[in-house]
Amino acid sequence: DTEVTQTPKHLVMGMTNKKSLKCEQHMGHRAMYWYKQKAKKPPELMFVYSYEKLSINESVPSRFSPECPNSSLLNLHLHALQPEDSALYLCASSRGGKDNEQFFGPGTRLTVL
Amino acid sequence: AQSVAQPEDQVNVAEGNPLTVKCTYSVSGNPYLFWYVQYPNRGLQFLLKYITGDNLVKGSYGFEAEFNKSQTSFHLKKPSALVSDSALYFCAVPGGYQKVTFGTGTKLQVIP
């Protein structure tokens, strides 16, 4: 199984809502990532988990809260978002190391009203 | 700092013609270079990578890339473009511990 799955595919939320994005991989990858992508732009790294521990936080606002319950799952908890947070949120995984590619999920299209 | 540049925002090519999407790199040491493709409303998909060895790397969907050390380039190529190849293409390089630096992306439009 070389697939990364993400749910939901689409999410519309108000600025006072709390929601969560979910990501799952069964490739045994030790590194998992959250990216934010605006239209026609490259993905921007948000968080990296390595062996289920948060290893990189790219100065992301605290209204985004990542969680890695186990080696296959990655969550992104959302609270009090702003309209400018509307974007495609991508999850990825890899074996780690500079020579290994990342496997991306299809993304969650988030709209904040 | 490791970086890649994609000089073209968009490339148009007629179906059946060869295509090239350009990427140049700036890295210290031996470069690891990647190409990813993103179809509309989808995540990125890995196409191919250069780690070491043969300068011509073959990847998915008939794509290949040529590593040129003297020109610091890693251009993506395909002998005969398909309409279904129309997508956004990203060149990438490891940007640090567990990070990847992506190029700005090139939109490929294959015209029937």
Side-chain angles (χ1 to χ4, degrees):
Chain A
D1 184 0
T2 59
E3 189 180 20
V4 176
T5 59
Q6 289 187 244
T7 56
K9 290 186 178 180
H10 301 276
L11 179 62
V12 179
M13 58 187 291
M15 290 191 286
T16 58
N17 292 158
K18 287 186 180 181
K19 296 287 184 183
S20 296
L21 309 184
K22 298 185 183 301
C23 173
E24 190 167 7
Q25 59 90 12
H26 294 287
M27 294 176 278
H29 288 169
R30 64 180 182 89
M32 295 186 75
Y33 310 78
W34 279 115
Y35 289 91
K36 173 184 177 181
Q37 186 182 28
K38 291 283 197 178
K40 301 180 182 179
K41 299 293 186 183
E44 300 171 31
L45 183 64
M46 299 174 71
F47 304 103
V48 181
Y49 274 82
S50 180
Y51 292 108
E52 303 171 45
K53 295 194 182 303
L54 183 64
S55 59
I56 295 176
N57 177 341
E58 290 287 89
S59 302
V60 179
S62 60
R63 58 185 183 268
F64 295 91
S65 176
E67 178 194 20
C68 189
N70 60 53
S71 60
S72 299
L73 294 174
L74 190 64
N75 297 323
L76 186 62
H77 302 297
L78 314 173
H79 174 54
L81 295 192
Q82 303 297 310
E84 59 265 28
D85 296 322
S86 297
L88 182 66
Y89 288 83
L90 295 167
C91 174
S93 70
S94 81
R95 289 187 289 271
K98 291 185 175 183
D99 58 338
N100 287 310
E101 61 273 23
Q102 295 187 12
F103 291 77
F104 285 80
T108 294
R109 175 73 61 187
L110 174 67
T111 302
V112 182
L113 301 175
Chain B
Q2 320 283 64
S3 66
V4 288
Q6 294 181 244
E8 300 159 319
D9 290 336
Q10 182 159 336
V11 170
N12 297 322
V13 63
E15 186 177 23
N17 282 3
L19 70 87
T20 299
V21 183
K22 296 180 180 178
C23 173
T24 58
Y25 65 88
S26 174
V27 304
S28 54
N30 295 322
Y32 296 154
L33 297 162
F34 299 79
W35 276 104
Y36 291 85
V37 60
Q38 186 173 28
Y39 298 102
N41 300 312
R42 301 293 301 275
L44 279 70
Q45 294 180 32
F46 167 73
L47 276 178
L48 50 80
K49 64 182 175 183
Y50 173 81
I51 303 299
T52 186
D54 196 348
N55 289 344
L56 186 63
V57 179
K58 294 190 181 297
S60 306
Y61 313 122
F63 283 93
E64 58 190 26
E66 185 173 7
F67 173 72
N68 188 316
K69 189 172 183 178
S70 63
Q71 296 185 5
T72 62
S73 67
F74 188 56
H75 299 334
L76 183 69
K77 300 182 179 184
K78 188 174 182 182
S80 179
L82 301 173
V83 173
S84 57
D85 293 329
S86 298
L88 189 56
Y89 290 81
F90 292 102
C91 182
V93 64
Y97 178 64
Q98 295 182 326
K99 293 185 181 182
V100 172
T101 298
F102 291 94
T104 50
T106 298
K107 181 180 179 182
L108 174 67
Q109 191 77 33
V110 181
I111 302 163

